[in-house]
């Protein structure tokens, strides 16, 4: 009875060990691990990235195959326990997406697949456009400014300025929509040149918008005669513009 108990206890462990070996006595490959060893998952055009694929445990030699969306990209044989290294160059939008690798023995069926890595192409932003629903304002009025980059990878971060002074916290937009701020026109000093800047994850690229100026509401144009020196001909007039501020 004691011997039977030991045998029953040992059977599951023996079964698992048998399942880990092939008919040739080799240890079966496990699901390999695919990791990024050079570069980033957010990539730009002409960027190089290197992927490592390794099955542990697994008796060499092992054949590693890299796939992109179930299509074979490259294959390497390893006669030792070192990982297979795959170097890729992102040369077009078709090079981004989901990658996996497969580990298997040569001339054998089956094999095990790795986790997936997904590359995303990032694009530089276009010059943002700064605008407002109104171009005229008066003292005591609330106005809004909108900053928008039509092109570029999301998310995009915007920052607003008056002259060289930052006038708002940065706004990060996860969707393709404008960043909007509200301003209160309190005095004449609030009339000046406004700008915004935009940036995203594309390295070393920041772009500034056009300048935007509010004008005083109620500016009137008047025509007055201007006589030439020494002349009394009333028809010799030029148009001059005088502006009166109306609050």
């Amino acid at each position: 009875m004691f011997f039977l108990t030991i045998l029953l206890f040992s059977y599951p462990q023996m079964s698992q060990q048998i399942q880990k070996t092939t008919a040739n006595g080799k240890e079966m490959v496990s699901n390999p691990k695919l990791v990024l060893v050079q570069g980033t998952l957010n990539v730009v055009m002409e960027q190089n990235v290197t992927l490592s694929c390794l099955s542990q445990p697994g008796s060499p030699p092992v054949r590693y195959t890299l796939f992109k969306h179930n299509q074979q990209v490259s294959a390497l044989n390893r006669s030792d326990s070192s990982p297979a290294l795959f170097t890729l160059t992102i040369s077009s939008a078709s090079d981004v997406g989901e990658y996996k690798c497969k580990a298997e023995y040569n001339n054998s069926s089956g094999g095990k697949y790795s986790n997936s890595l997904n590359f995303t192409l990032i694009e530089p932003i276009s010059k943002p456009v700064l605008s407002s629903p109104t171009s005229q304002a008066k003292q005591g009025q609330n106005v809004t400014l909108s900053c928008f980059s039509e092109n570029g990878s999301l998310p995009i971060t915007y920052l607003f300025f008056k002259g060289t002074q930052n006038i708002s916290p940065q706004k990060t937009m996860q969707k393709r929509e404008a960043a909007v701020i509200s301003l209160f026109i309190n005095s004449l000093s609030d009339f000046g040149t406004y700008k915004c800047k935009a940036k995203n994850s594309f390295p070393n690229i920041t772009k500034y918008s056009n300048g935007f100026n509010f004008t005083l509401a109620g500016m009137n144009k008047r025509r007055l005669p201007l006589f030439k020196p020494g002349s009394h001909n009333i028809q010799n007039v030029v148009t001059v513009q005088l502006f009166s501020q109306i609050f």
Side-chain angles (χ1 to χ4, degrees), residues 70-137:
N70 300 319
Q71 291 189 348
Q72 180 175 327
V73 176
S74 182
L76 293 171
N77 292 318
R78 281 290 176 263
S79 58
D80 53 23
S81 299
S82 62
L85 298 178
F86 300 96
T87 298
L88 309 172
T89 299
I90 306 301
S91 57
S92 68
S94 64
D95 293 325
V96 299
E98 184 185 61
Y99 285 81
K100 286 186 177 183
C101 71
K102 180 182 179 182
E104 60 187 335
Y105 292 118
N106 288 327
N107 303 320
S108 67
S109 60
K112 298 290 184 66
Y113 285 89
S114 72
N115 57 296
S116 62
L117 291 178
N118 207 315
F119 289 97
T120 301
L121 183 66
I122 55 175
E123 299 176 312
I125 53 175
S126 57
K127 180 179 178 179
V129 175
L130 184 64
S131 61
S132 175
T134 180
S135 60
Q136 292 187 331

Side-chain angles (χ1 to χ4, degrees), residues 7 60 70 75 115 148 191 214 232:
L7 183 61
N70 300 319
N115 57 296
F148 180 66
F191 291 87
F214 291 103
H232 298 286

